[in-house]
Amino acid sequence: MGLPFQKLKKLWLLYLFLLFFAFFMFAISINLYVASIQNTDPQQSHPKPAPKRRSLWPRKNIVAHYIGKGDIFGNMTADDYNINQFKPIENEGADGRPVVVPPRDRFRMQRFFRLNSFNLLASDRIPLNRTLKDYRTPECRDRKYTKNLPNTSVIIVFHNEAWSVLLRTITSVINRSPKHLLKEIILVDDASDRTYLKRQLESYIKVLAVPTRLYRMKERSGLVPARLMGAQHARGDVLTFLDAHCECSRGWLEPLLARIRESRQVVICPVIDIISDDNFSYTKTFENHWGAFNWQLSFRWFSSERKRSTTESSVKDLTAPIATPGMAGGLFAIDRKYFYEMGSYDSEMRVWGGENVEMSFRIWQCGGRIEISPCSHVGHVFRSSTPYTFPGGMSEVLTNNLARAASVWMDDWQYFVMLYTSGLTLGAKDKINVTERVALREKLKCKPFSWYLEHIWPEHFFPAPDRFFGKIIWLDGETECAQAYSRHMKNLPGRALSREWSRAFDEIDNKAAEFTSLIDLERDKCLRPLRDDVPRSSLQPVTVGDCTSHAQTMDMFVITPKGQIMTNDNVCLTYRPPKQGVIKLLKNRNATTSNIMLTQCASEPSQFWSYDMDTQQISHRDTKLCLTLKSATNTRSQKVEKVVLSMQCDFKDITQKWGLIPLPWRL
């Protein structure tokens, strides 16, 4: 016989109490362990901060709630927030190698990660003057520069930056720049509140080998006002702007100054290498890349070949800069007088974001150039999130800045950005005053945005008057929009209709208002990526789904007269032969291996399509295969999914019929 119920109940209560007590003691021991680690080795590296009393028990002022992964006591105290833990270890991170934090420090590493959104303990183990490899190509190493280059003021803005990261930036500038070219270093503190960035920093910069001056903003103002303050006090011929979490590599400065000496109307950027936010390893990136913007005006890198800025038509100069439609904005050099002639920054932009968009458009449209020098390499810590506060709110600040840039420089395309960018509306124009910037554009006699797209960024994926912009729906024959579209196409005169996209655009334009008003966002099925969370650099299978706005607007497409079907982030509909080969696919109408992907646009035959207005089929130009909606079983989840394939054309097959529904993008 079992125990009586009452005794069994008491035993269970005792068991639960002991379990709770054991967990409580375990938690206390972890807290004591973390606190003891933080109290070890109180001697701080040069210069030494004042000692602080520490308490093990939580009678502290909680100043922030940065909770590191795996740390159950994540609230940060004033001591945690202001302590300078820099204690370098010789040869740690040498030659750009990764740093491995010992297991005994893992709790503390996780705890402090979110203070700066990078591994602070890894950075604090690396000497300020750590060695880096020479990341230049052999051609760049062999290039000689004239001795009479202009000098420069290096301007570094920081806000609550980590001690070791900020000083390593400064040290790399000093150690890897010819002294006669480095006029000064200007630091601008954007209202930091960490104690080690006060007197301790002021004492440190007094003994540097290069004149270094520190200016402080009275209140948190952001990147643009702080950089304007730095530029105002600069005395160098050239202004070189760097972020506060960089490392300059060997030979980084001369190519920038040499290009400005050749043409003072050039804004020149270095190749931005990657410093890991996790282990601070330094990774070289490719030289032949350039930048532009997506539909929401977020900066993006691209790697297709572009024309270099060289006068040698017969010989390809691998050291020549590459023209770029857009700049990342954190690292660049510009002639100081030209900076002001071109309107410096839009001083009404707040905090951070959008200033690189505005400057990119302004420089190109007003007669200047933006280039990337393949011979200049500067590492930059790229973070997955920002640790900084945004007075006024991040969303409001960023949308305000983007609205200013679009309103002044983008002409008709400003409405496209405001219609299809989250947080922006057409009413955003009424909340901003851009009178001074519009007057600047008129004064500089700047070209229209259409010129910028045609001549500076011909590879763009934005809408244009000679393109289609809208949704591609599956004509299932059931919805009102699908029926109206099919009826319109069948009633067009002539049996053998032109398959040119331009003809299709004209016919669709004639009924644009009707089609747009009839589309049912929940019932009609639109072409879109199979997954919502796949990175833009990955291959993305295609499916159909409801036509409500996709999270990344990738259920909207631009079709060019050449037949490229593009969506946001320079992604194109692409035919990719499956493993079993084209011949088997042609013969097997039950095939389910996906051979249609969304991939990076490359102007290749695999990305050119045709449209038959008579049959409403979209066919691949080379293989003559048609887009077909099929059901397929996902090998991982074993779920049946609808995927779009390219298969042998059959004008009777309803799964191969597609309609183009235009959307408005300009007034």
Side-chain angles (χ1 to χ4, degrees):
M1 295 181 62
L3 291 173
F5 175 76
Q6 291 297 331
K7 289 186 177 180
L8 193 62
K9 181 178 179 181
K10 290 179 179 179
L11 286 173
W12 270 106
L13 289 174
L14 179 61
Y15 172 75
L16 290 174
F17 172 77
L18 291 173
L19 185 65
F20 173 79
F21 181 76
F23 175 78
F24 177 76
M25 295 303 296
F26 175 71
I28 292 289
S29 65
I30 290 179
N31 193 29
L32 289 169
Y33 173 69
V34 171
S36 66
I37 290 176
Q38 293 171 345
N39 282 329
T40 58
D41 300 322
Q43 293 297 323
Q44 303 300 322
S45 297
H46 172 76
K48 178 180 176 182
K52 301 183 184 325
R53 286 184 62 87
R54 313 261 332 220
S55 172
L56 293 177
W57 300 101
R59 298 189 60 180
K60 299 181 180 181
N61 234 358
I62 303 298
V63 298
H65 292 272
Y66 300 103
I67 303 176
K69 186 169 66 173
D71 184 2
I72 61 176
F73 295 98
N75 290 333
M76 305 300 289
T77 68
D79 284 352
D80 296 328
Y81 196 67
N82 291 301
I83 191 172
N84 176 12
Q85 304 179 90
F86 176 56
K87 193 171 75 170
I89 300 173
E90 187 178 1
N91 293 325
E92 189 75 273
D95 293 332
R97 291 193 296 268
V99 174
V100 178
V101 176
R104 63 184 174 82
D105 291 329
R106 293 295 170 85
F107 279 114
R108 194 153 54 104
M109 177 186 74
Q110 293 165 356
R111 179 180 176 85
F112 280 91
F113 189 96
R114 292 195 183 181
L115 276 181
N116 299 91
S117 289
F118 53 64
N119 191 343
L120 179 59
L121 266 66
S123 175
D124 286 344
R125 294 170 65 90
I126 303 174
L128 298 183
N129 62 341
R130 81 150 157 182
T131 57
L132 292 177
K133 298 177 182 178
D134 190 340
Y135 298 102
R136 297 172 295 174
T137 62
E139 293 83 2
C140 289
R141 294 176 198 170
D142 293 340
R143 179 159 183 178
K144 305 299 181 184
Y145 298 95
T146 180
K147 293 184 179 180
N148 58 341
L149 295 176
N151 60 41
T152 185
S153 299
V154 176
I155 300 172
I156 302 171
V157 171
F158 65 91
H159 172 71
N160 284 341
E161 193 60 79
W163 174 268
S164 58
V165 174
L166 174 61
L167 265 60
R168 195 174 301 113
T169 303
I170 298 171
T171 303
S172 71
V173 170
I174 295 174
N175 290 351
R176 301 192 179 104
S177 304
K179 296 298 185 289
H180 68 283
L181 299 180
L182 201 55
K183 179 75 173 179
E184 62 193 348
I185 297 174
I186 294 179
L187 305 178
V188 182
D189 175 14
D190 187 18
S192 298
D193 53 22
R194 299 186 183 176
T195 55
Y196 58 79
L197 295 175
K198 304 300 182 182
R199 291 185 179 179
Q200 190 174 350
L201 179 60
E202 292 171 4
S203 299
Y204 184 87
I205 65 175
K206 287 180 180 178
V207 298
L208 294 178
V210 171
T212 304
R213 291 179 285 152
L214 174 61
Y215 299 93
R216 301 190 188 272
M217 305 291 289
K218 293 181 179 179
E219 59 182 9
R220 177 89 162 103
S221 303
L223 182 71
V224 169
R227 282 189 167 179
L228 287 174
M229 172 183 276
Q232 176 186 352
H233 291 91
R235 296 171 294 189
D237 303 321
V238 172
L239 305 178
T240 301
F241 294 98
L242 295 179
D243 284 341
H245 32 270
C246 293
E247 288 184 64
C248 301
S249 69
R250 192 179 309 171
W252 76 282
L253 184 58
E254 296 93 316
L256 306 182
L257 300 181
R259 182 61 180 131
I260 291 177
R261 183 181 182 277
E262 291 175 355
S263 173
R264 63 185 299 268
Q265 295 181 320
V266 169
V267 178
I268 187 75
C269 309
V271 174
I272 304 178
D273 295 331
I274 300 171
I275 300 176
S276 169
D277 60 347
D278 179 50
N279 56 36
F280 274 76
S281 60
Y282 191 112
T283 303
K284 175 186 176 181
T285 54
F286 296 110
E287 285 86 1
N288 62 335
H289 66 287
W290 49 278
F293 306 99
N294 69 3
W295 289 350
Q296 290 76 42
L297 301 185
S298 294
F299 182 80
R300 294 287 186 264
W301 290 110
F302 302 103
S303 59
S304 58
E305 189 70 26
R306 286 180 65 85
K307 184 178 180 181
R308 294 177 180 265
S309 303
T310 177
T311 56
E312 300 178 40
S313 57
S314 59
V315 179
K316 187 176 182 180
D317 184 1
L318 297 178
T319 70
I322 301 169
T324 176
M327 60 191 297
L331 295 70
F332 68 94
I334 184 172
D335 181 271
R336 180 164 58 89
K337 293 181 180 178
Y338 185 66
F339 176 71
Y340 287 106
E341 290 171 12
M342 296 299 287
S344 61
Y345 277 115
D346 181 351
S347 60
E348 294 300 315
M349 286 191 170
R350 295 182 292 155
V351 191
W352 174 86
E355 81 289 338
N356 61 322
V357 179
E358 193 273 344
M359 179 169 278
S360 297
F361 294 159
R362 171 164 47 88
I363 294 297
W364 277 115
Q365 290 174 235
C366 302
R369 294 181 60 85
I370 302 176
E371 298 173 352
I372 297 174
S373 172
C375 294
S376 175
H377 282 260
V378 177
H380 182 276
V381 180
F382 288 94
R383 299 178 277 203
S384 57
S385 61
T386 175
Y388 305 131
T389 58
F390 272 72
M394 180 184 295
S395 178
E396 182 181 346
V397 167
L398 184 57
T399 53
N400 175 81
N401 291 353
L402 293 179
R404 294 187 64 84
S407 297
V408 176
W409 301 104
M410 294 188 72
D411 303 331
D412 282 349
W413 284 265
Q414 65 179 289
Y415 305 108
F416 169 69
V417 170
M418 293 179 186
L419 283 169
Y420 300 106
T421 297
S422 177
L424 274 177
T425 64
L426 292 178
K429 287 177 61 66
D430 301 328
K431 301 177 182 179
I432 57 177
N433 183 353
V434 292
T435 305
E436 290 186 6
R437 302 306 285 183
V438 171
L440 172 69
R441 176 175 175 171
E442 294 175 353
K443 174 186 174 183
L444 297 176
K445 299 179 180 179
C446 305
K447 293 181 173 65
F449 192 72
S450 57
W451 173 89
Y452 170 84
L453 292 180
E454 181 180 356
H455 296 277
I456 306 306
W457 189 19
E459 312 95 328
H460 76 91
F461 44 91
F462 276 56
D466 64 340
R467 299 179 172 194
F468 165 83
F469 170 71
K471 295 179 182 282
I472 300 176
I473 69 168
W474 174 43
L475 300 175
D476 60 359
E478 296 182 0
T479 65
E480 190 176 2
C481 183
Q483 292 173 358
Y485 186 93
S486 297
R487 188 167 52 248
H488 172 68
M489 289 300 175
K490 289 179 181 178
N491 290 336
L492 291 176
R495 295 296 298 167
L497 295 173
S498 169
R499 293 191 179 188
E500 294 296 323
W501 283 107
S502 55
R503 168 76 187 277
F505 299 161
D506 290 340
E507 294 295 345
I508 292 166
D509 259 353
N510 294 335
K511 302 288 285 186
E514 178 183 343
F515 294 155
T516 305
S517 64
L518 290 177
I519 190 170
D520 188 326
L521 297 179
E522 294 181 355
R523 289 197 60 201
D524 281 298
K525 301 302 178 185
C526 286
L527 196 70
R528 58 174 291 174
L530 184 63
R531 305 277 182 266
D532 288 347
D533 56 350
V534 178
R536 67 186 183 96
S537 58
S538 302
L539 299 178
Q540 304 185 56
V542 186
T543 186
V544 296
D546 62 73
C547 296
T548 52
S549 182
H550 187 273
Q552 297 177 334
T553 63
M554 292 185 70
D555 59 352
M556 303 177 192
F557 291 87
V558 168
I559 304 178
T560 70
K562 293 182 178 180
Q564 270 190 301
I565 301 177
M566 307 185 291
T567 186
N568 195 16
D569 277 322
N570 194 41
V571 174
C572 281
L573 197 68
T574 307
Y575 172 77
R576 293 178 62 88
K579 292 182 180 179
Q580 68 263 39
V582 177
I583 296 177
K584 182 177 179 180
L585 182 67
L586 287 169
K587 294 179 179 179
N588 181 11
R589 290 193 54 76
N590 294 319
T592 56
T593 301
S594 180
N595 60 355
I596 297 297
M597 296 285 178
L598 287 171
T599 66
Q600 289 293 293
C601 298
S603 295
E604 296 176 349
S606 61
Q607 296 181 347
F608 289 105
W609 303 86
S610 299
Y611 187 65
D612 191 322
M613 290 186 289
D614 190 21
T615 63
Q616 296 94 59
Q617 291 171 310
I618 298 176
S619 60
H620 186 246
R621 192 168 297 173
D622 273 7
T623 65
K624 312 301 180 187
L625 300 176
C626 287
L627 288 188
T628 308
L629 184 63
K630 297 283 290 184
S631 295
T633 302
N634 188 310
T635 55
R636 293 183 179 178
S637 64
Q638 296 303 310
K639 293 182 179 179
V640 177
E641 300 173 327
K642 289 188 178 296
V643 295
V644 174
L645 310 175
S646 198
M647 303 182 68
Q648 186 176 11
C649 297
D650 180 357
F651 72 92
K652 295 180 182 179
D653 189 349
I654 196 171
T655 64
Q656 294 185 349
K657 297 189 179 295
W658 305 92
L660 311 179
I661 309 301
L663 293 176
W665 65 271
R666 57 177 178 169
L667 294 183

